[in-house]
Amino acid sequence: MLRSLQIVATLVLAWLAVFLQAAWDGFRPILGVQPDLLPALMVHTALRTHLVNVFLLAALGGLAMDSLSANPVGVTSLPLLALGLVLHMRKELVLRDQPFAQAVLGALAGAAVPTLTVGLLLSLGHEPLVGWGSLWQGAVLAVWGAAVTPLVFRLFGALEHWFGPAPAGPGSFRPDREIRRGRV
Amino acid sequence: MWKRSHSVALGLLAGLSLLLLSLPEELAARFKVAFGALYLPLLGLAGAAHQAAQETAGLMVSRRELLRQNEQLRRENAQLRLETLQAAEWARENARLRRLLGWQEQSPWRDRLRLARVTLREPTPWWRSFTIDLGSRQGVRTGLPVLTPEGLVGRTSEVGPFHARVVLVGDANCRVSAQVLNVTGDTGLIGPAGPLDRDLVLLSYLPRTAVVRPGQAVVTSGLGGIFPKGIPIGTVVDVRPAGDGLYLEARVQLAAPLHVLEEVWVLWP
């Protein structure tokens, strides 16, 4: 139940985040680039949930992004999937409960997903706007990823806390009241 | 733990992505429009919120401010009517001279404009585009010019029933043949400048001998068949030789503020 809720919440959040990215100008006039929440969501999904969720987020999040942007349809799913797979395969080696580790992974994901997407676009023969300014945009997206990934972990932690089963209490067993049978 | 089902899912997703990427352009656009329909409720909600905000703002404007704006608009209206009279006279004279010279008459495009609201902007940093609230149901089709009173904005692409994407000037998918308003009327091709230069575009392939100076106006040349001649694009900022000195390249400051536009005009065929 909680697992289904988690993936539903992830997908709804991805759907809304992509819409907000397109509908609200946000930081674009100041930073020159619109922050992206999908890499941070993918880091959380890959480290905390099942591989199926990674597939779902890569497919639906990527398609949502491509449907609202001028990207060719399907181009965002592959970088997201690559990121999710690598993180999921190595999740036992990552200190995923540490906010610092989350921030570092968020920064790497924030820079890696757009880089892979642009690489894919170039290899497909498209002409995305790329130049020295892209380095600045990549840096901004990395910083954004580092800032927002620990928050995503916190948000889903809180969700788990609210909707998950309550932890078992100490119970009524008391060792000092135990009746010992047999010879002492 | 990696399972067989994971391999199947991975194969399916990768296959699906590759299939979508290899779809013909028209089919891919239809798929995008169909998937984008998931956002129609949110778009409706955003539109209603925008309208409500405007109405609320309208209610809060004081009577004095309204009177001042009214007076200003009256004056502007009177001035524009005078200019229209003069323009109508020029149009008559133009038509008469065209007839005398045996040239084909051009239909004026000011009567074929239709207002559209910008609903969504491009979420990725490597394209220049936005979405407007007119679609195929209203008669929009691919390749219609989009402009504002300040100047050229772009052209339509990926048209859905209720929305259409506008590829902006400065995107690699919206090349415009342009003319510098200098003595020789040199023409070149408008293309993207850089990822962070949102108000600048590059005017390339100007002749080596062209006398192009900063401050000169750049308009559409009418070549290419999409954009009518004479729509303002911007003004020249600077010029430098390019292509190993084979041609000149000018940076052009766009006339229309593309990143803050809320309403645009679509030019019907």
Side-chain angles (χ1 to χ4, degrees):
Chain A
M1 174 65 188
L2 185 66
R3 283 175 186 171
S4 334
L5 182 73
Q6 205 167 30
I7 187 57
V8 168
T10 306
L11 293 178
V12 169
L13 197 59
W15 183 66
L16 282 174
V18 171
F19 179 76
L20 272 181
Q21 254 175 271
W24 182 56
D25 239 356
F27 301 102
R28 193 187 341 233
I30 309 160
L31 302 174
V33 59
Q34 188 74 321
D36 186 3
L37 195 64
L38 287 180
L41 281 175
M42 183 51 92
V43 171
H44 174 265
T45 307
L47 294 182
R48 278 289 166 81
T49 66
H50 288 266
L51 199 53
V52 177
N53 298 354
V54 172
F55 291 133
L56 281 174
L57 180 63
L60 297 179
L63 285 177
M65 176 63 92
D66 294 340
S67 70
L68 293 191
S69 76
N71 278 341
V73 66
V75 81
T76 314
S77 296
L78 287 176
L80 280 174
L81 179 66
L83 171 75
L85 278 181
V86 169
L87 288 179
H88 191 79
M89 295 300 179
R90 297 278 176 267
K91 73 175 178 181
E92 301 306 333
L93 303 175
V94 177
L95 296 169
R96 54 184 188 271
D97 291 329
Q98 298 295 318
F100 180 71
Q102 294 163 3
V104 170
L105 288 175
L108 289 175
V113 170
T115 308
L116 287 173
T117 310
V118 168
L120 196 55
L121 284 168
L122 289 170
S123 65
L124 287 168
H126 294 275
E127 293 177 74
L129 273 172
V130 186
W132 289 110
S134 305
L135 291 177
W136 164 256
Q137 291 175 335
V140 169
L141 289 173
V143 171
W144 165 260
V148 87
T149 307
L151 296 179
V152 170
F153 273 80
R154 278 195 170 197
L155 176 74
F156 280 94
L159 203 71
E160 214 168 305
H161 179 71
W162 293 331
F163 294 101
S172 55
F173 176 74
R174 282 175 55 183
D176 58 317
R177 301 283 299 273
E178 186 182 10
I179 299 169
R180 295 181 188 274
R181 298 189 187 278
R183 291 178 185 169
V184 179
Chain B
M1 173 110 68
W2 188 264
K3 295 177 190 169
R4 188 182 153 81
S5 58
H6 291 155
S7 304
V8 173
L10 173 63
L12 277 176
L13 183 58
L16 177 73
S17 292
L18 293 174
L19 178 76
L20 288 172
L21 285 171
S22 57
L23 280 178
E25 204 172 319
E26 196 182 336
L27 208 60
R30 279 190 191 175
F31 184 88
K32 275 177 86 167
V33 168
F35 198 86
L38 284 175
Y39 282 102
L40 280 180
L42 284 183
L43 277 170
L45 209 65
H50 183 257
Q51 200 175 349
Q54 273 187 333
E55 281 173 12
T56 313
L59 286 174
M60 290 167 76
V61 179
S62 69
R63 186 181 150 76
R64 181 180 291 181
E65 175 64 15
L66 284 174
L67 285 172
R68 192 189 64 76
Q69 284 182 5
N70 195 10
E71 184 55 33
Q72 190 182 344
L73 289 171
R74 264 177 213 276
R75 260 184 249 150
E76 238 173 76
N77 190 23
Q79 193 179 345
L80 287 172
R81 283 167 81 174
L82 284 172
E83 282 177 18
T84 308
L85 280 177
Q86 197 175 13
E89 178 50 36
W90 285 338
R92 275 194 296 276
E93 186 184 61
N94 189 322
R96 190 169 51 82
L97 292 172
R98 274 180 178 276
R99 270 197 302 276
L100 283 174
L101 288 170
W103 287 6
Q104 195 188 356
E105 279 194 46
Q106 288 181 326
S107 62
W109 46 263
R110 61 167 188 273
D111 302 330
R112 294 183 275 130
L113 291 168
R114 190 149 176 196
L115 191 65
R117 195 169 63 81
V118 177
T119 51
L120 295 173
R121 290 182 198 280
E122 174 63 44
T124 64
W126 46 82
W127 303 118
R128 297 269 184 271
S129 75
F130 57 60
T131 310
I132 54 170
D133 64 347
L134 291 182
S136 57
R137 293 274 173 99
Q138 287 83 25
V140 176
R141 57 178 176 77
T142 307
L144 296 184
V146 178
L147 47 136
T148 64
E150 288 84 19
L152 186 68
V153 172
R155 65 170 178 85
T156 56
S157 73
E158 290 176 18
V159 181
F162 307 105
H163 293 90
R165 178 172 303 286
V166 176
V167 187
L168 306 181
V169 186
D171 188 284
N173 295 316
C174 183
R175 310 260 182 194
V176 185
S177 173
Q179 185 175 30
V180 183
L181 293 185
N182 57 4
V183 182
T184 43
D186 298 301
T187 56
L189 196 65
I190 292 277
L196 292 179
D197 304 324
R198 291 186 306 169
D199 296 326
L200 291 176
V201 288
L202 272 188
L203 175 59
S204 305
Y205 307 115
L206 287 166
R208 263 188 313 180
T209 52
V211 185
V212 179
R213 297 220 166 79
Q216 285 176 334
V218 178
V219 299
T220 52
S221 70
L223 302 172
I226 291 182
F227 303 102
K229 189 177 175 163
I231 301 175
I233 295 175
T235 47
V236 174
V237 175
D238 52 28
V239 192
R240 63 179 179 204
D244 293 328
L246 286 175
Y247 57 87
L248 294 180
E249 199 172 63
R251 286 196 309 159
V252 175
Q253 173 89 37
L254 289 171
L258 300 185
H259 56 285
V260 292
L261 289 176
E262 292 195 356
E263 283 170 342
V264 290
W265 296 88
V266 182
L267 182 57
W268 247 243

